[in-house]
Amino acid sequence: MKNDDLRNFADTSDSELISRILQGSKHLYEVIIRRYNQRLYRVGMSIVNNESEVEDIMQVAYISAYENLGKFVFKSSFATWLTRILINECLLRIRQSNRSVDMDDERLKMVFDQPANNHSQTPEHSVMNSELRSILHEAINKLPEKYRTVFVMREIEDMNVAETKECLAISEVNVKVRLNRAKIMLRELLSGYYQKEDILHFHLSKCDRIVAYVMDKI
């Protein structure tokens, strides 16, 4: 199906899309993938912090979700369910490799230093955004993984407390405590401001690559 046709389903609810996919409209899974690529990338990077590995984990998560789509019963939101699959895969990779999840300076710098797509930026805005990315790099780099992940989910992805709690399998109190702790740790370097669009941006080329791989496999 052409992209123009898929755009007709851009505002279709997850439940309706899933119903259609289960009835045989497999091509609509692309809408699901494009809808959640940004979220999964940001959450994955907050845990694994390796671009190529996060892309691979996303592919595995999408395929796993597709294979188990018939078992999803909407006890939670589909977004929560999908994010939980991704988190579980991230944690599995970390356990298998016996790695630390601390930020790697070089990898994060590659993420934050990617050029913006907005060609209309003034030189002043470009300098400001460059400085902002540098501040974010320094600050987020210092956050332990458990605080970093909650910060990304709550403050960047706008996930509510209940959804964050379910995805991470921690208590509501822990979500609030970790977020507050993350903000305290970030406040000095961030000076009370940050821009979501400058944080862990998932470029269209990556989105297309994930879509092509997953749709070829399912």
Side-chain angles (χ1 to χ4, degrees):
M1 180 174 282
K2 295 181 179 180
N3 287 338
D4 288 343
D5 296 323
L6 288 175
R7 290 193 188 99
N8 295 330
F9 294 92
D11 296 325
T12 303
S13 68
D14 288 345
S15 59
E16 176 65 20
L17 285 171
I18 290 169
S19 176
R20 287 173 176 264
I21 292 166
L22 291 174
Q23 291 171 17
S25 298
K26 183 172 72 173
H27 58 279
L28 292 180
Y29 199 59
E30 179 174 339
V31 180
I32 293 285
I33 299 170
R34 293 188 182 279
R35 181 172 291 175
Y36 291 109
N37 264 342
Q38 183 77 272
R39 169 190 281 204
L40 296 196
Y41 179 75
R42 285 170 168 169
V43 172
M45 282 295 293
S46 76
I47 299 172
V48 174
N49 189 41
N50 181 300
E51 286 187 272
S52 61
E53 188 165 11
V54 167
E55 286 190 36
D56 182 59
I57 289 170
M58 289 170 65
Q59 292 165 358
V60 171
Y62 280 126
I63 292 171
S64 177
Y66 178 82
E67 291 174 344
N68 291 280
L69 209 54
K71 300 176 184 178
F72 179 63
V73 292
F74 290 94
K75 289 184 178 179
S76 61
S77 74
F78 177 76
T80 300
W81 184 70
L82 181 61
T83 304
R84 185 65 206 169
I85 291 174
L86 175 94
I87 290 172
N88 286 339
E89 182 62 27
C90 287
L91 297 178
L92 176 62
R93 296 292 183 94
I94 289 170
R95 287 196 297 269
Q96 287 176 339
S97 60
N98 194 29
R99 287 174 299 172
S100 166
V101 292
D102 289 339
M103 283 291 195
D104 176 87
D105 286 330
E106 183 176 354
R107 283 292 178 179
L108 250 187
K109 192 173 190 301
M110 288 171 61
V111 174
F112 289 125
D113 285 352
Q114 291 183 34
N117 291 324
N118 184 2
H119 300 295
S120 64
Q121 286 184 321
T122 66
E124 290 79 11
H125 284 157
S126 296
V127 170
M128 181 182 69
N129 288 336
S130 176
E131 291 176 350
L132 176 59
R133 285 194 295 271
S134 177
I135 292 171
L136 289 169
H137 169 254
E138 294 294 334
I140 296 177
N141 183 55
K142 294 178 180 179
L143 286 179
E145 178 267 338
K146 65 180 182 180
Y147 301 121
R148 184 172 66 241
T149 301
V150 169
F151 179 81
V152 168
M153 295 173 78
R154 291 282 288 117
E155 294 297 308
I156 300 175
E157 282 303 304
D158 289 325
M159 295 170 64
N160 61 36
V161 173
E163 190 175 10
T164 305
K165 164 189 169 181
E166 186 169 351
C167 284
L168 296 177
I170 60 177
S171 70
E172 183 174 318
V173 171
N174 271 336
V175 171
K176 293 177 179 179
V177 168
R178 291 183 188 185
L179 178 60
N180 287 337
R181 180 59 180 157
K183 287 181 176 180
I184 290 171
M185 296 169 74
L186 288 170
R187 187 169 293 126
E188 183 176 350
L189 285 174
L190 294 179
S191 300
Y193 72 92
Y194 60 89
Q195 295 179 6
K196 295 179 183 181
E197 61 270 22
D198 284 331
I199 304 177
L200 302 180
H201 184 68
F202 191 68
H203 289 288
L204 181 60
S205 60
K206 295 187 182 73
C207 183
D208 290 339
R209 189 160 59 241
I210 296 288
V211 167
Y213 179 89
V214 174
M215 295 306 294
D216 181 61
K217 295 296 181 182
I218 65 175

